[in-house]
Amino acid sequence: MEFRLDEGQIELQRTVARFCADRFPLDALADREGRPVQADDWQALADLGVLGLLVPETDGGSGLGVVDAALVFEQLGDHLVPGPVLWSLLAAPLVGDVVTGGCMVAGVESSALSDGAVVVDHAAEIDVLLVVHPDHVSAHRLADLPAPVPLDAVDPLATVGRINGLGEGDRVGDAATAAQLRLLGTVLASAMLVGVSDRSLRVARDYALERHQFGVPIGSFQAIKHLLADMYVRTQCAQSAMYAAAAVLDDPDSSDPARAAAGAKLLAADAAIENATTAIQVLGGMGFTWDMLPNHLLKRAWATEQDFGTIDDHAAHLGATIDAMAS
């Protein structure tokens, strides 16, 4: 089995990284705080093929596999790309006009609903809300619902709102579709978290090389070296687990997809949160300020950790799996 990326996959990574650096420069984050994703940026994502990665070419998509999609979403996480890109990609085979950029979709699991109300990321921007139930998937057109109530967001680069009176919506998928959406969402959320983890490592490393104390870079101090080494190990372990889970989803007979996805999300979320926190520590007093990149990385990690199961959820799932295997 080949565990290395091929030339096409490496070029895919580089292409998406160049696009993100040009469209979503990290030195201009202040301009994006509290704002919806811009229409031209969303269209550019669609034109690049991001929203149709898992849609067959015959239906206008890119027709790529989960591993390739994971490579793309790792770069999206690395560059803190705005908008509901993950849910829109998941919805593309089920909802029209997503691939072309004409429809923006967010989503939640049915457990988040309370008396027909739900808190949704990008609520004021989306056209459709996807709800994943245990036995089906429903789509809700925002034009048919009351206007979302704005709320404060954990991630300053996103918007949040409460949507009331959802109702039943239109059924767009069965139980198998719902299960597949959860698996795909878990792995691709993991990919975004790995991107956050890796960016946190590079921010801390660069600062440790540039910042001098006592006439030498602080990166030469043993305490800083240990922090950076731990960040590197967390990132590499999370990335390996995430790539493995993506490969399992492309070939479900090779292993247990649910177990692989849970392991990937557990390691990726832990790595993203811990590395962003450590980056703040390495940057010292400056790292705590609102306009520094580690602040945004940590908040994106917190927000994404909640998508498709938290660290505790996946730890419990893995524990139950191990217990079942041992008995």
Side-chain angles (χ1 to χ4, degrees), residues 201 224-234:
L201 168 60
I224 300 296
K225 289 181 180 179
H226 286 174
L227 291 175
L228 295 176
D230 287 343
M231 294 175 77
Y232 177 78
V233 170
R234 279 192 290 265

Side-chain angles (χ1 to χ4, degrees), residues 16-60:
V16 176
R18 288 193 297 267
F19 167 85
C20 291
D22 178 60
R23 275 277 169 180
F24 309 105
L26 293 175
D27 58 0
L29 288 178
D31 296 334
R32 289 161 44 194
E33 287 184 4
R35 297 175 57 192
V37 60
Q38 301 301 292
D40 58 336
D41 289 334
W42 189 257
Q43 188 60 56
L45 284 166
D47 293 342
L48 187 65
V50 169
L51 305 180
L53 284 168
L54 300 180
V55 175
E57 291 184 82
T58 53
D59 295 329

Side-chain angles (χ1 to χ4, degrees), residues 2-319:
E2 180 60 67
F3 289 102
R4 291 178 297 181
L5 302 180
D6 60 34
E7 292 183 4
Q9 291 170 325
I10 293 172
E11 184 54 35
L12 175 64
Q13 278 186 315
R14 291 172 176 170
T15 298
V16 176
R18 288 193 297 267
F19 167 85
C20 291
D22 178 60
R23 275 277 169 180
F24 309 105
L26 293 175
D27 58 0
L29 288 178
D31 296 334
R32 289 161 44 194
E33 287 184 4
R35 297 175 57 192
V37 60
Q38 301 301 292
D40 58 336
D41 289 334
W42 189 257
Q43 188 60 56
L45 284 166
D47 293 342
L48 187 65
V50 169
L51 305 180
L53 284 168
L54 300 180
V55 175
E57 291 184 82
T58 53
D59 295 329
S62 304
L64 300 180
V66 182
V67 171
D68 293 325
L71 295 175
V72 171
F73 272 75
E74 185 178 359
Q75 293 302 316
L76 300 183
D78 186 293
H79 292 83
L80 298 176
V81 169
V85 285
L86 176 51
W87 276 103
S88 291
L89 173 136
L90 297 175
L94 308 174
V95 178
D97 296 331
V98 173
V99 174
T100 60
C103 181
M104 192 180 297
V105 183
V108 295
E109 295 203 50
S110 59
S111 58
L113 299 176
S114 177
D115 296 326
V118 65
V119 175
V120 180
D121 290 337
H122 314 287
E125 307 164 51
I126 61 174
D127 304 292
V128 173
L129 175 67
L130 216 61
V131 180
V132 182
H133 300 265
D135 60 348
H136 73 281
V137 180
S138 60
H140 305 257
R141 294 279 172 184
L142 268 290
D144 301 330
L145 299 172
V149 179
L151 301 173
D152 292 333
V154 171
D155 181 356
L157 302 179
T159 61
V160 174
R162 185 178 71 249
I163 299 175
N164 299 311
L166 280 186
E168 294 187 4
D170 300 320
R171 290 200 174 209
V172 294
D174 56 13
T177 303
Q180 184 66 7
L181 282 181
R182 289 191 187 91
L183 287 174
L184 286 170
T186 301
V187 172
L188 296 182
S190 302
M192 299 183 83
L193 287 163
V194 169
V196 171
S197 176
D198 189 48
R199 176 64 68 175
S200 299
L201 168 60
R202 282 179 283 144
V203 168
R205 177 205 62 193
D206 292 348
Y207 184 81
L209 293 174
E210 296 168 359
R211 175 66 170 167
H212 284 62
Q213 286 287 353
F214 309 109
V216 296
I218 65 171
S220 65
F221 302 152
Q222 190 176 44
I224 300 296
K225 289 181 180 179
H226 286 174
L227 291 175
L228 295 176
D230 287 343
M231 294 175 77
Y232 177 78
V233 170
R234 279 192 290 265
T235 299
Q236 291 299 305
C237 289
Q239 186 184 63
S240 296
M242 180 269 291
Y243 286 166
V248 169
L249 261 64
D250 275 334
D251 182 13
D253 294 332
S254 63
S255 186
D256 181 350
R259 185 175 65 207
K265 181 69 188 300
L266 173 62
L267 289 174
D270 178 73
I273 293 172
E274 290 297 324
N275 279 12
T277 302
T278 304
I280 291 174
Q281 181 181 355
V282 171
L283 268 66
M286 185 171 64
F288 285 92
T289 58
W290 181 270
D291 58 342
M292 296 303 294
L293 184 54
N295 161 67
H296 292 285
L297 291 167
L298 180 57
K299 290 176 180 175
R300 178 61 62 88
W302 282 340
T304 308
E305 189 258 347
Q306 298 294 312
D307 295 333
F308 298 100
T310 64
I311 289 175
D312 290 342
D313 294 333
H314 290 297
H317 174 81
L318 290 172

